[in-house]
Amino acid sequence: MENVLIIRYGEIMLKGDNKSFFEAKLTKHIRGAVKDLGDVKVYKMHSRVYIDVEDFNADEIIERVKKVFGVVCISPAVRFPVDFDVIKETALNQIKEEMAQRGVKTFKVESKRVDKKFPLKSPEMSREIGGYILENTEGLEVDVHNPEVRVYVEVRECSFVFTKKVYGFGGLPLGTNGKALLLLSGGIDSPVAGWLVAKRGVEIHGMHFHSYPFTSERAKEKVVDLAKILTTYCGRIKLYSVNLLAIQKEINEKCPEEEMTILSRRFMMKIAERVANKIGCDALVTGESIGQVASQTVKGLHVTNAAVELPVFRPLIAMDKVDIMDLARKIDTYETSILPFEDCCTVFLPKRPVTQPRLEKILRSEALLDVEGLIESAIGDMEVERISLDDE
């Protein structure tokens, strides 16, 4: 009898002739997630991934694997040759463990006969196993609608018995859908936006804008901390840090005060696009949401969008703030995001920022600036940092 983790994936099953490519990517990422835990055997078989585990390291492996995009759920199970007497006894032992640990009083057996040569059909298996459990326990009842515990039995090339399903985030394996550059601020929204795009298989890198020394070193460190949290889902990230202060000073000196935010935003997009093209990213990602701040009105987004030609992914565009915050808590970025350090958007903040900008007017203001020179200078002073969990 062996302890294994059964790892299931969902959307990958729909990939037709490309399925093996997605499976290989997923298996590779799962191996990468557990590689520092010793000699952990990860292998694919019959449209599932399995990991052989010892009791002492199963919980740690599950915690890591459930963060791998593409994983739908994980079950710690026991595997053994097909023998119905052993199946019944194993199911009984697992339900006794649940009774001892959680005091459960109701259960249900769910059987699956994948090997059609096995003489009992799935409903017959469930009835016989359930009857055997009832005969050998006290104070336990069957509840087919809302049981406290489900005992899962599968008969395939061998038998599997388990009682738990730990759910992952689903999605598609990282690196199966190109690469994008995330505009990563220190706020709540942008880490969530990057996480959502990465969940669809897009490899992401980050670009952070700051206004040092008007903004603090601690504000920059906070963004690095957020990037580190994202690496637990997204693997290594290159973080490009750009000082926007010279550009902001130029705008403040030569352009209408109310246009500071929208003009700064257009510069960020232009700089991000320039860098994205250099490093092979095919899109930009932002944490913008309609109406959340002055620059995120529909007209504001149109003017911002007009600064670049690359596609701009805004996965939060129609989400309410409370929903974004809930997701930030779920992926563990929230507590870092709310740390009270200022970002570049607070520098030269206009008293009455324009909320309904007209593109032609913004372009006239932009013409007052040495746009190309300012962009080249900012990129020339850009810092690049490789963010990895290995840096801990």
Side-chain angles (χ1 to χ4, degrees):
M1 197 167 288
E2 303 164 311
N3 293 321
V4 297
L5 298 181
I6 303 171
I7 301 167
R8 303 174 188 81
Y9 41 87
E11 204 171 327
I12 292 175
M13 301 296 288
L14 306 175
K15 294 302 178 184
D17 293 341
N18 294 320
K19 182 182 161 190
S20 59
F21 165 73
F22 285 83
E23 288 176 327
K25 279 281 189 183
L26 179 68
T27 307
K28 176 185 174 184
H29 293 321
I30 291 172
R31 287 198 181 103
V34 300
K35 67 180 181 182
D36 62 326
L37 295 180
D39 185 21
V40 180
K41 186 179 179 184
V42 181
Y43 51 98
K44 184 182 77 66
M45 188 165 60
H46 304 310
S47 297
R48 286 175 164 179
V49 177
Y50 294 93
I51 300 180
D52 293 343
V53 294
E54 303 292 340
D55 286 340
F56 67 89
N57 64 359
D59 291 343
E60 176 66 23
I61 292 174
I62 290 172
E63 280 303 304
R64 295 191 185 193
V65 170
K66 75 179 186 182
K67 291 183 174 180
V68 176
F69 292 133
V71 171
V72 172
C73 74
I74 309 159
S75 291
V78 290
R79 177 175 60 192
F80 47 92
V82 177
D83 182 318
F84 196 55
D85 288 336
V86 180
I87 288 174
K88 289 191 292 185
E89 197 62 31
T90 305
L92 175 63
N93 290 338
Q94 293 211 0
I95 200 75
K96 283 183 174 178
E97 282 184 25
E98 293 290 337
M99 294 174 71
Q101 292 174 5
R102 298 198 288 137
V104 299
K105 297 185 182 305
T106 60
F107 78 105
K108 177 184 179 182
V109 177
E110 294 188 9
S111 303
K112 183 183 290 184
R113 186 188 65 152
V114 179
D115 180 2
K116 302 305 180 188
K117 295 178 182 175
F118 190 71
L120 295 177
K121 295 181 179 177
S122 299
E124 295 170 336
M125 288 170 58
S126 294
R127 277 198 301 272
E128 292 212 17
I129 296 167
Y132 184 76
I133 290 173
L134 289 173
E135 288 172 7
N136 292 279
T137 54
E138 292 184 0
L140 196 64
E141 295 179 355
V142 173
D143 184 341
V144 296
H145 300 294
N146 189 29
E148 292 175 86
V149 63
R150 296 172 192 265
V151 181
Y152 300 95
V153 175
E154 295 182 358
V155 174
R156 297 171 175 263
E157 71 285 353
C158 52
S159 306
F160 295 90
V161 179
F162 52 93
T163 58
K164 293 184 176 65
K165 290 184 177 179
V166 180
Y167 287 89
F169 293 106
L172 293 170
L174 205 64
T176 56
N177 271 317
K179 191 161 60 173
L181 185 62
L182 166 68
L183 276 68
L184 182 62
S185 73
I188 294 170
D189 302 338
S190 57
V192 176
W195 184 89
L196 283 169
V197 170
K199 184 184 169 187
R200 298 306 302 164
V202 179
E203 182 183 348
I204 61 167
H205 293 295
M207 170 161 281
H208 172 59
F209 293 94
H210 60 86
S211 302
Y212 184 80
F214 283 33
T215 54
S216 67
E217 281 287 348
R218 189 62 191 93
K220 288 169 62 178
E221 291 169 7
K222 174 182 167 183
V223 173
V224 171
D225 291 342
L226 286 169
K228 284 181 180 176
I229 296 171
L230 288 178
T231 64
T232 62
Y233 305 93
C234 308
R236 291 181 181 177
I237 292 175
K238 279 187 181 177
L239 181 63
Y240 299 84
S241 295
V242 175
N243 193 331
L244 202 66
L245 185 57
I247 293 173
Q248 290 174 302
K249 285 182 174 177
E250 195 80 354
I251 296 172
N252 185 57
E253 182 180 330
K254 297 181 178 176
C255 300
E257 181 198 6
E258 67 271 18
E259 295 176 357
M260 166 60 77
T261 303
I262 202 78
L263 285 167
S264 297
R265 194 72 190 160
R266 281 175 57 86
F267 268 99
M268 292 183 201
M269 299 296 279
K270 288 173 183 283
I271 292 169
E273 182 182 56
R274 196 76 60 94
V275 173
N277 285 330
K278 284 183 180 176
I279 63 175
C281 288
D282 300 313
L284 304 179
V285 182
T286 76
E288 292 163 313
S289 173
I290 294 175
Q292 189 172 124
V293 294
S295 65
Q296 295 175 21
T297 61
V298 172
K299 285 189 176 178
L301 292 170
H302 165 66
V303 171
T304 302
N305 229 39
V308 295
E309 294 181 355
L310 277 180
V312 181
F313 297 152
R314 297 180 170 93
L316 312 184
I317 194 71
M319 290 178 68
D320 289 343
K321 190 69 179 185
V322 66
D323 296 326
I324 298 169
M325 290 164 63
D326 286 345
L327 188 48
R329 291 187 185 94
K330 191 174 178 181
I331 65 174
D332 299 325
T333 57
Y334 180 78
E335 294 299 329
T336 302
S337 288
I338 62 172
L339 292 173
F341 301 113
E342 74 288 355
D343 62 31
C344 66
C345 295
T346 62
V347 177
F348 302 115
L349 189 65
K351 291 179 181 175
R352 297 177 184 274
V354 60
T355 57
Q356 303 296 320
R358 288 188 293 118
L359 181 58
E360 61 273 18
K361 186 179 178 187
I362 295 298
L363 290 175
R364 282 199 297 273
S365 297
E366 216 166 63
L368 302 173
L369 308 169
D370 177 14
V371 174
E372 188 62 26
L374 288 168
I375 290 175
E376 285 300 318
S377 177
I379 292 177
D381 295 333
M382 181 174 66
E383 297 174 349
V384 185
E385 189 173 352
R386 293 174 186 272
I387 309 296
S388 166
L389 281 181
D390 299 338
D391 298 335
E392 295 290 347

